[in-house]
Amino acid sequence: MQQTLIETAARVLQDNWQGGFTIPCEGLYPFQWNWDSGFIALGWGHLNMERAKAELRSLLKGQWKNGFLPHIVFHNESESYFPGPEVWDVGRSPNAPEAKTSGITQPPVLGFVLEFLYELSGEAFLDFAGEVFPALFRWHEYFYTCRDPEGEGLVYICHNWEAGTDNTPVWDGIWEGLDSPEYLLNRRDTQHVDAANRPSNREYQHYIHLVELFKSWEYDDAKIAESSPFLIQDPLFNALLIRSNEGLIRMGNLLGRQDEVDQLQRWQERSLSHFHRKLYSPAQKAYVYYDLRAQQQLQAVSSSSFVPLFAGIPGADTAREIARAHFEGGRFSGASGDFYLCASFDPTSPAFDPKRYWRGPVWINLNWLLYHGFLRYGFTDLAAQVRTDTLELLEACGFYEYFDPRRALPAGEFRGYGGNNFSWSAALCLDLLKRKPS
Ligand code: GLC
């Protein structure tokens, strides 16, 4: 079984390789995406390290003059995706690079990806690590200087696409308060997959409205921080920044980059001293989101709520409390293990929808983050469970983008949804099967 999974996963990556970078999925996502490429590079690391390096080099071609790393780099032309480069029109910003890119970012995974790749190939990897380290440092510098208006070491996201969890119900209340114009949308995603499994048109109008605002402000960070109606401190985004700081500190030490290491450590301390205090909700027994506009926590629990385990953020007691409340018969596993780990949104909430994108389905990258998070705290049973669930879903359905988490499905229903032959599902399956425990 494992051998077949490995071979099929390798074929998915091979088919999505464009000679320089890897698309997430044919048709649906025909360009290079930021955090996808980080996870994809981990998969390539097991097959062909030169491709892993090429993947990261290609992404960095999209870096802006101020260090910002966009969520899409449009290396190629394609009519199959909306919004394309002409909608983003990032040339309005004085920081835009030569490459065509989007104007928002995505969760910063590259710092820890570098470390995980180093663990696969050791000393031989250091030349490459030295080559990309300065660009990654500058990306983090961008976050701490341009995205942290309250000086807490907690950076904001200004668009739901920056979260990576596009249509999570966490934002529903924010959309309700927005009076976005009713743009005529030229959506392409719903030509590739069933509209019932994607965000609604109204949601897309809000997404485009935010882009139009940022354009009108020439993508100026100070203006965005002051006026964007969407300004959130996201537990997944900030935990991955912290975990990537950790990766860069380790790599920087190996590379002898003392000044950058000292600076990263100062940022890290700032982040760690505020994270738990501001983003933990004792009522939910989970990390939640903080809405900087409303100046309050948003009391919804999603799979992002557990990513701080991956970064070693909660103390041992809090980590136990989280495991008991949400797994081990808790909310996300269900009293009798009713759900595969890990639903992307609280299955006990009325907003839970097991088939609609980030409103319930299981996503493989979140499972991979949770797996390593559980291991970090010594929760070996939970780690084993999330790994088994992941492999079982992939084996039964194929390398889909997301999966219905209910173990007992109504007769005749399939559980694999969204794009098929999805790159990070394949790449992280390879990593789960082939990485030796450290
Ligand atoms: C979807 C996902 C996002 C991912 C992108 C490309 O928008 O929500 O996280 O990066 O697709 O795969």
Side-chain angles (χ1 to χ4, degrees):
M1 159 232 176
Q2 292 207 344
Q3 198 48 32
T4 319
L5 267 183
I6 289 174
E7 282 163 19
T8 320
R11 201 163 55 239
V12 170
L13 288 189
Q14 180 59 41
D15 288 349
N16 288 338
W17 171 252
Q18 305 292 299
F21 69 97
T22 313
I23 54 171
C25 178
E26 200 185 335
L28 193 58
Y29 308 115
F31 307 109
Q32 186 174 28
W33 260 257
N34 184 328
W35 75 328
D36 294 66
S37 278
F39 294 124
I40 290 166
L42 288 179
W44 279 126
H46 295 284
L47 303 171
N48 179 335
M49 192 54 86
E50 289 313 307
R51 287 201 179 171
K53 294 176 187 168
E55 186 75 38
L56 302 184
R57 280 193 189 105
S58 295
L59 185 65
L60 292 173
K61 284 193 188 137
Q63 188 161 37
W64 289 27
K65 295 178 190 125
N66 56 350
F68 172 86
L69 204 57
H71 97 300
I72 305 176
V73 187
F74 302 103
H75 298 288
N76 47 320
E77 309 260 322
S78 173
E79 289 294 307
S80 76
Y81 180 81
F82 170 84
E86 63 298 335
V87 176
W88 290 100
D89 194 13
V90 298
R92 295 176 186 222
S93 163
N95 291 312
E98 263 172 44
K100 289 183 183 164
T101 76
S102 70
I104 57 171
T105 189
Q106 258 187 339
V109 300
L110 300 185
F112 70 78
V113 164
L114 207 63
E115 184 187 359
F116 274 68
L117 288 175
Y118 166 73
E119 284 175 356
L120 289 183
S121 59
E123 295 295 298
F125 190 72
L126 288 181
D127 276 354
F128 174 76
E131 174 193 324
V132 296
F133 182 89
L136 299 188
F137 177 82
R138 290 211 312 124
W139 189 25
H140 286 219
E141 185 175 46
Y142 162 81
F143 281 130
Y144 284 99
T145 49
C146 301
R147 291 272 187 134
D148 180 18
E150 312 210 348
E152 305 165 303
L154 298 177
V155 306
Y156 66 73
I157 56 170
C158 54
H159 196 290
N160 58 299
W161 280 333
E162 293 200 316
T165 58
D166 308 5
N167 70 336
T168 176
V170 177
W171 330 128
D172 287 358
I174 300 178
W175 303 142
E176 271 162 32
L178 275 189
D179 192 20
S180 303
E182 299 198 356
Y183 300 102
L184 284 177
L185 301 167
N186 192 8
R187 284 181 73 171
R188 303 295 165 87
D189 55 324
T190 45
Q191 294 170 4
H192 302 290
V193 301
D194 189 343
N197 309 141
R198 298 280 307 178
S200 69
N201 272 338
R202 188 60 188 140
E203 283 169 306
Y204 252 74
Q205 286 167 338
H206 297 309
Y207 306 171
I208 296 303
H209 179 52
L210 291 175
V211 174
E212 292 300 331
L213 287 177
F214 304 159
K215 274 158 69 173
S216 72
W217 302 329
E218 297 167 348
Y219 292 100
D220 180 79
D221 291 303
K223 185 74 194 149
I224 290 172
E226 190 186 302
S227 307
S228 171
F230 187 106
L231 212 70
I232 301 285
Q233 289 165 324
D234 176 316
L236 173 145
F237 199 99
N238 280 283
L240 294 187
L241 179 64
I242 288 172
R243 182 63 189 85
S244 275
N245 283 337
E246 198 174 271
L248 289 183
I249 288 169
R250 176 157 174 221
M251 297 312 296
N253 275 324
L254 288 165
L255 295 165
R257 317 241 0 172
Q258 201 51 53
D259 290 351
E260 286 101 328
V261 167
D262 290 347
Q263 180 58 67
L264 284 160
Q265 253 150 1
R266 284 194 289 273
W267 288 329
Q268 189 77 323
E269 275 162 33
R270 198 186 304 163
S271 296
L272 287 170
S273 64
H274 290 92
F275 193 107
H276 183 81
R277 224 176 326 146
K278 191 147 186 204
L279 301 184
Y280 194 68
S281 160
Q284 302 296 337
K285 299 192 169 59
Y287 290 93
V288 295
Y289 303 69
Y290 192 88
D291 183 340
L292 284 167
R293 284 281 91 93
Q295 286 289 332
Q296 62 179 17
Q297 284 186 344
L298 300 174
Q299 297 294 330
V301 184
S302 73
S303 50
S304 298
S305 299
F306 311 124
V307 177
L309 294 168
F310 177 67
I313 293 166
D317 290 348
T318 306
R320 269 260 115 253
E321 172 171 88
I322 293 171
R324 257 199 303 271
H326 301 286
F327 306 100
E328 305 174 341
R331 277 204 238 180
F332 278 69
S333 52
S336 348
D338 318 74
F339 300 105
Y340 280 100
L341 295 185
C342 177
S344 48
F345 195 69
D346 180 356
T348 65
S349 157
F352 172 74
D353 179 339
K355 297 193 184 306
R356 206 186 261 271
Y357 216 38
W358 290 96
R359 303 179 77 86
V362 172
W363 287 74
I364 303 303
N365 63 335
L366 264 294
N367 274 13
W368 184 91
L369 293 167
L370 268 190
Y371 169 70
H372 285 283
F374 288 147
L375 283 183
R376 189 166 182 157
Y377 284 84
F379 300 161
T380 45
D381 289 352
L382 286 178
Q385 196 196 327
V386 73
R387 184 177 185 276
T388 308
D389 284 2
T390 307
L391 297 176
E392 205 174 301
L393 289 170
L394 294 170
E395 235 233 316
C397 309
F399 292 93
Y400 273 90
E401 188 182 3
Y402 42 97
F403 302 85
D404 191 321
R406 294 170 299 171
R407 282 191 202 272
L409 273 192
E413 286 191 17
F414 186 58
R415 63 169 84 250
Y417 286 101
N420 194 358
N421 299 321
F422 189 70
S423 291
W424 82 37
S425 299
L428 296 175
C429 172
L430 283 171
D431 196 64
L432 284 177
L433 288 173
K434 289 174 87 102
R435 178 171 295 274
K436 309 239 174 349
S438 51

